[in-house]
Amino acid sequence: MNHTADQHGNEPLDRAKGYVYIVGAGPGDPELITVKAQRVLSEADVILYDDLVSLELVDQFNALKIYTGKRKDSHHFEQEEINREIVRHASEGKTVVRLKGGDPFIFGRGGEEIDTLRNVGIHYEIIPGITAAHGASAYTEIPLTMRRISSSVAFCTGHPVNRIQVPDTDTIVYYMVASTVHDVLDAVAAKGRSGATMVAVVQSATQYNQKTYTGTLDEFRRREKAVYSPALLIIGDSIGQFIEHNWHSRKKKVLMTGGDSSRYSSTDYIMVHFPCRKISGADLDAVNRVLDHIADYSLLFFPNKFSVKYFFRFLFESGRDVRSLAHMTICTAGSAAAAELQESGLVADHYLEPDGTVGYAERLRELCVSGQQILLPGSSITDDSLVAGLTQMGNSVTPLGVYAHEVRQDEVIDLDFIDEIYFSSPVCVRNFQTLFKTIPGRITVTTADRSTQNEYDSLFGD
């Protein structure tokens, strides 16, 4: 069948070629994603994401995820390879999201990617993101424009050093300056800016470990302190509005190793999630055996949202649906698991929250759970204390690993910025201990229940 363009000159959409979204993920804080970006990510078949995109954001979605790892001088994929990957998956009829840090059209090379898509006739959309300059401005309280101080602003890049632009604007923001700060400052000084001009360097803007350094142009040119990527340089008198004790720095940073983050108020805390990405590293033979005998189980207990997410992925991939669970009592631990369950069309029979002294096994004891055949989906690392507690109550428990943990070393948490650590289970304590042998004494440690506290005392106690 021959397709013709419509009366407006638009080419007809070739569904066989798939569809591509070029999406801005924002500057680092995973909550700065737009509503539209959230929707298309949830509908995607494939997500290709950059190094500066938060894994906490990426792990929320079920698509095939491809880490492109683009950072200056350390590319897992070169740009041409990324273009080919986008085209390859779209050509298979898939919905592809190219997820980029910040905004795709502000030093994000989004223009190059849509050029490729135009050339091969693949349809696409661009979804803007909050660019790093906007994020850094809001999270440091440095306004980019301000009446009587700054009525113009320019975004520039610190590369290449032999072509650094110095626009005649009140405020200049330079991207990608981790290795070129002094080159940029020298160029600004050579253009005639006063040595008393205010300067700020913002590292890891909008993230828990955001750090801001301020001073004058002359002071910064004399400094030898290294700047670490990602870094942003702001030049202009509006920096005079910066205060050290701003809204972002006032909040305590609590490291969540699991559990429900609603226990901490977002007005007082910034939740930092332990960077163990969850991957479907299940023993497929074991999963299939369990699903083939799903009728043998009387109670299904989900200890976290990831156990829900991956269990239902395997359930649906096996050709079954929620009707297979109609005979079972379903329990969830925490509101996040309950919310994830509702995404699959089910409401938990029992929604459990432990207090500070008892664990989930004790809460199930209060519900008189005994003599049950319990299926316990979860991590490939079994929570032995939970299994033991349920078994002592006269239940038969079958742990089922439906996901595994994988730590990306460049996302290891910097404990210098952490005020409190919350351990939600003994397994989380053990996972944490694989990366950190000690915990600084100034950090407050909170545990969900007695068994988690015991595990913490065993691994980190004096």
Side-chain angles (χ1 to χ4, degrees):
M1 178 177 176
N2 292 325
H3 296 281
T4 57
D6 65 22
Q7 60 181 337
H8 301 293
N10 296 320
E11 291 295 322
L13 182 61
D14 185 352
R15 295 290 181 185
K17 285 190 176 180
Y19 202 79
V20 176
Y21 294 95
I22 310 294
V23 178
D29 183 341
E31 292 187 318
L32 292 181
I33 193 79
T34 65
V35 173
K36 185 170 184 178
Q38 187 95 12
R39 175 180 63 79
V40 302
L41 284 163
S42 67
E43 297 170 354
D45 299 308
V46 181
I47 299 171
L48 295 99
Y49 65 100
D50 277 352
D51 187 80
L52 298 180
V53 175
S54 164
L55 286 179
E56 182 186 343
L57 171 63
V58 174
D59 282 345
Q60 297 176 32
F61 306 103
N62 292 324
L64 169 67
K65 303 176 186 76
I66 300 173
Y67 168 52
T68 61
K70 283 182 86 281
R71 185 177 282 189
K72 182 181 179 294
D73 297 330
S74 181
H75 290 183
H76 187 65
F77 277 48
E78 295 295 338
Q79 185 62 49
E80 293 75 15
E81 293 178 90
I82 294 172
N83 295 345
R84 286 195 293 270
E85 279 293 288
I86 294 171
V87 170
R88 180 171 73 86
H89 290 286
S91 298
E92 295 172 356
K94 296 174 182 176
T95 298
V96 179
V97 171
R98 172 72 176 108
L99 189 60
K100 310 169 76 67
D103 179 89
F105 278 5
I106 301 182
F107 308 119
R109 303 185 75 169
E112 298 175 39
E113 292 169 352
I114 65 170
D115 271 349
T116 298
L117 296 172
R118 288 169 179 167
N119 289 337
V120 297
I122 292 174
H123 288 258
Y124 58 85
E125 290 182 34
I126 299 97
I127 300 178
I130 295 173
T131 188
H134 293 147
S137 171
Y139 280 54
T140 60
E141 299 188 26
I142 298 174
L144 298 180
T145 63
M146 188 170 180
R147 195 160 63 96
R148 300 192 184 95
I149 297 177
S150 174
S151 62
S152 57
V153 61
F155 296 165
C156 302
T157 177
H159 299 278
V161 293
N162 61 342
R163 292 208 307 271
I164 294 172
Q165 301 294 310
V166 186
D168 186 17
T169 56
D170 294 323
T171 304
I172 312 175
V173 182
Y174 287 95
Y175 288 63
M176 298 174 283
V177 295
S179 61
T180 62
V181 167
H182 284 88
D183 297 293
V184 173
L185 296 174
D186 289 345
V188 171
K191 199 69 180 279
R193 288 266 181 154
S194 165
T197 301
M198 294 293 293
V199 173
V201 171
V202 185
Q203 293 179 191
S204 302
T206 78
Q207 300 180 63
Y208 77 97
N209 57 341
Q210 174 179 291
K211 184 71 175 176
T212 306
Y213 304 92
T214 62
T216 67
L217 180 60
D218 281 348
E219 288 170 346
F220 265 87
R221 292 180 71 196
R222 290 194 296 267
R223 290 184 184 180
E224 295 183 2
K225 181 175 177 60
V227 177
Y228 301 100
S229 181
L232 202 73
L233 176 66
I234 306 174
I235 298 174
D237 290 338
S238 62
I239 293 165
Q241 301 300 308
F242 171 77
I243 57 173
E244 190 74 32
H245 199 52
N246 58 53
W247 72 263
H248 182 267
S249 65
R250 285 196 299 268
K251 294 188 180 187
K252 291 186 176 181
K253 283 70 176 178
V254 55
L255 181 62
M256 303 291 297
T257 66
D260 186 0
S261 59
S262 64
R263 65 184 290 122
Y264 292 94
S265 166
S266 62
T267 59
D268 299 316
Y269 291 90
I270 291 174
M271 268 63 73
V272 183
H273 293 273
F274 184 56
C276 271
R277 63 192 308 186
K278 283 75 181 175
I279 58 173
S280 54
D283 179 342
L284 295 181
D285 290 337
V287 170
N288 289 329
R289 283 195 301 271
V290 165
L291 293 178
D292 286 342
H293 296 88
I294 196 71
D296 295 343
Y297 299 96
S298 57
L299 189 146
L300 181 57
F301 180 55
F302 293 110
N304 56 53
K305 69 176 182 179
F306 298 104
S307 60
V308 180
K309 173 181 175 180
Y310 289 104
F311 176 82
F312 278 96
R313 174 186 292 183
F314 290 121
L315 181 74
F316 296 145
E317 287 178 355
S318 73
R320 300 171 176 87
D321 59 27
V322 295
R323 290 173 295 180
S324 304
L325 313 177
H327 65 288
M328 303 174 75
T329 299
I330 301 179
C331 303
T332 59
S335 59
E340 188 74 26
L341 185 66
Q342 288 187 348
E343 290 290 318
S344 298
L346 290 174
V347 176
D349 295 292
H350 300 292
Y351 159 70
L352 308 179
E353 279 288 5
D355 59 29
T357 57
V358 300
Y360 293 119
E362 287 300 314
R363 296 303 299 273
L364 288 168
R365 185 189 300 275
E366 294 169 6
L367 295 173
C368 300
V369 172
S370 181
Q372 302 281 342
Q373 297 290 324
I374 299 178
L375 179 59
L376 184 64
S379 165
S380 55
I381 304 173
T382 302
D383 188 340
D384 296 328
S385 62
L386 178 58
V387 172
L390 294 173
T391 302
Q392 289 169 5
M393 292 156 52
N395 300 293
S396 174
V397 183
T398 301
L400 179 65
V402 293
Y403 68 88
H405 292 287
E406 179 182 272
V407 178
R408 203 172 87 186
Q409 293 299 322
D410 62 344
E411 276 222 348
V412 171
I413 294 294
D414 187 343
L415 294 183
D416 288 344
F417 292 86
I418 298 300
D419 300 296
E420 181 174 345
I421 300 173
Y422 174 71
F423 290 114
S424 62
S425 71
V427 171
C428 290
V429 179
R430 294 197 293 274
N431 285 340
F432 184 86
Q433 200 266 344
T434 63
L435 292 179
F436 300 97
K437 303 306 179 187
T438 61
I439 297 176
R442 61 172 184 78
I443 295 179
T444 300
V445 174
T446 306
T447 57
D449 51 47
R450 187 185 304 113
S451 61
T452 306
Q453 182 66 43
N454 290 341
E455 188 73 10
Y456 169 75
D457 291 340
S458 171
L459 294 178
F460 290 101
D462 295 333

